Amino acid sequence: QKEVEQNSGPLSVPEGAIASLNCTYSDRVSQSFFWYRQYSGKSPELIMSIYSNGDKEDGRFTAQLNKASQYVSLLIRDSQPSDSATYLCAVRSTSNTGKLIFGQGTTLQVKP
Amino acid sequence: EAEVAQSPRYKITEKSQAVAFWCDPISGHATLYWYRQILGQGPELLVQFQDESVVDDSQLPKDRFSAERLKGVDSTLKIQPAELGDSAMYLCASSRLATGANVLTFGAGSRLTVL
C-alpha cells in the first residue's frame, strides 16, 4: 500500500462545474495535509493546507479532512480552463524529519 | 516575493557523464529538500537537510548521487555517472522548519534528460 494514494485520472469536468479530487493516506497519526497544483512542465505550488477535521475554504477551493477515514479531498467550485493541471496531495510524515510524502497526482481537465 | 533559486533549468547529458544541480533556498529557511519527479509520478524525496546536516537520505542512490549543503545555505546535488533512468525533474524546496504547519516552497526545477 502506498503511503499517499490518488487516482491519476484524468478527471474531466465542464467549465463551471465542481471538481472533486480525492486522496487517502496510510499513516493514521498524520496531522498535516497539503494540496499542490502543478501545471505541465512547472513546479508544484501550494494551494491549500489543512490540519483539523472538517472543511477549510479559500475562494473557489475547499479542502476537506476526515482523519477517521484517513481521507482528504479538494473541491474546486466554478471550475475554469485555467484550473487544468495536476493536483498533488501531500502528507507530512510523522517521523522526526517531517518530510512531505506526495501522491502521484490527479490530472484535472476543465473543458470550455 | 521570496523564491527558491535553481540552476540549470534544463540539462541534457549522455549516460555515464557527471551532472550537478544547484539550489539557493529562501533566506532564513533552515530546511532544504531535494525531490525527484519522474514524468507522471509525484515528487519523491531524495535528501533533506536541516541546516548543514542530512536528516533523511534514505531514498538517495548513494552509489551515484551525492548532496551537500556546506554552510547551511545553498546546496548542490550531483549525479555521477548519470544513467538513462535518471531523466526526471529535480526539484529543490525549502521551509522554515520541518514540522507542523511549515509549508514547502519549490523552486522552478531542473529538467534532466539523459541520452
Side-chain angles (χ1 to χ4, degrees):
Chain A
Q1 180 186 8
K2 292 182 180 179
E3 294 179 88
V4 181
E5 295 204 53
Q6 297 180 255
N7 187 321
S8 61
L11 172 67
S12 183
V13 300
E15 184 175 355
I18 296 175
S20 177
L21 305 160
N22 304 315
C23 172
T24 58
Y25 59 94
S26 60
D27 188 344
R28 181 172 296 278
V29 298
S30 296
Q31 297 293 323
S32 304
F33 307 87
F34 307 87
W35 283 99
Y36 283 81
R37 177 176 62 198
Q38 187 173 28
Y39 291 113
S40 181
K42 303 295 185 182
S43 63
E45 56 178 330
L46 182 70
I47 299 175
M48 296 279 290
S49 57
I50 187 166
Y51 312 106
S52 303
N53 276 331
D55 295 358
K56 178 181 178 182
E57 187 175 319
D58 184 359
R60 295 186 296 112
F61 298 96
T62 299
Q64 299 176 319
L65 175 60
N66 183 327
K67 292 183 179 180
S69 299
Q70 296 173 236
Y71 176 94
V72 58
S73 65
L74 180 70
L75 300 178
I76 307 174
R77 290 183 299 281
D78 187 24
S79 295
Q80 300 297 307
S82 59
D83 295 326
S84 297
T86 296
Y87 290 80
L88 297 163
C89 172
V91 178
R92 172 147 272 143
S93 168
T94 53
S95 71
N96 57 2
T97 66
K99 67 182 179 183
L100 275 195
I101 302 169
F102 286 85
Q104 70 176 82
T106 298
T107 299
L108 172 66
Q109 297 174 346
V110 181
K111 297 188 174 181
Chain B
E1 183 175 337
E3 294 184 345
V4 176
Q6 285 190 251
S7 66
R9 289 293 312 281
Y10 304 94
K11 179 70 176 179
I12 300 174
T13 191
E14 294 185 347
K15 64 179 182 178
S16 79
Q17 295 300 302
V19 63
F21 304 110
W22 176 81
C23 173
D24 191 12
I26 292 172
S27 178
H29 280 195
T31 309
L32 185 147
Y33 311 78
W34 283 102
Y35 280 85
R36 176 172 62 184
Q37 187 175 24
I38 295 170
L39 193 63
Q41 298 182 20
E44 177 190 30
L45 182 71
L46 292 176
V47 61
Q48 177 178 338
F49 289 92
Q50 183 66 34
D51 299 308
E52 68 276 9
S53 300
V54 173
V55 296
D56 189 331
D57 63 358
S58 57
Q59 300 303 310
L60 187 72
K62 298 181 186 64
D63 57 336
R64 298 185 300 108
F65 285 64
S66 64
E68 60 183 16
R69 192 184 185 198
L70 292 176
K71 296 183 179 180
V73 181
D74 60 339
S75 175
T76 302
L77 177 70
K78 297 179 180 177
I79 309 174
Q80 183 174 19
E83 295 181 354
L84 295 177
D86 296 332
S87 294
M89 175 80 88
Y90 289 82
L91 295 162
C92 180
S94 70
S95 65
R96 190 170 301 278
L97 295 172
T99 57
N102 288 278
V103 301
L104 271 66
T105 301
F106 284 89
S110 296
R111 168 82 60 191
L112 173 65
T113 301
V114 181
L115 303 176

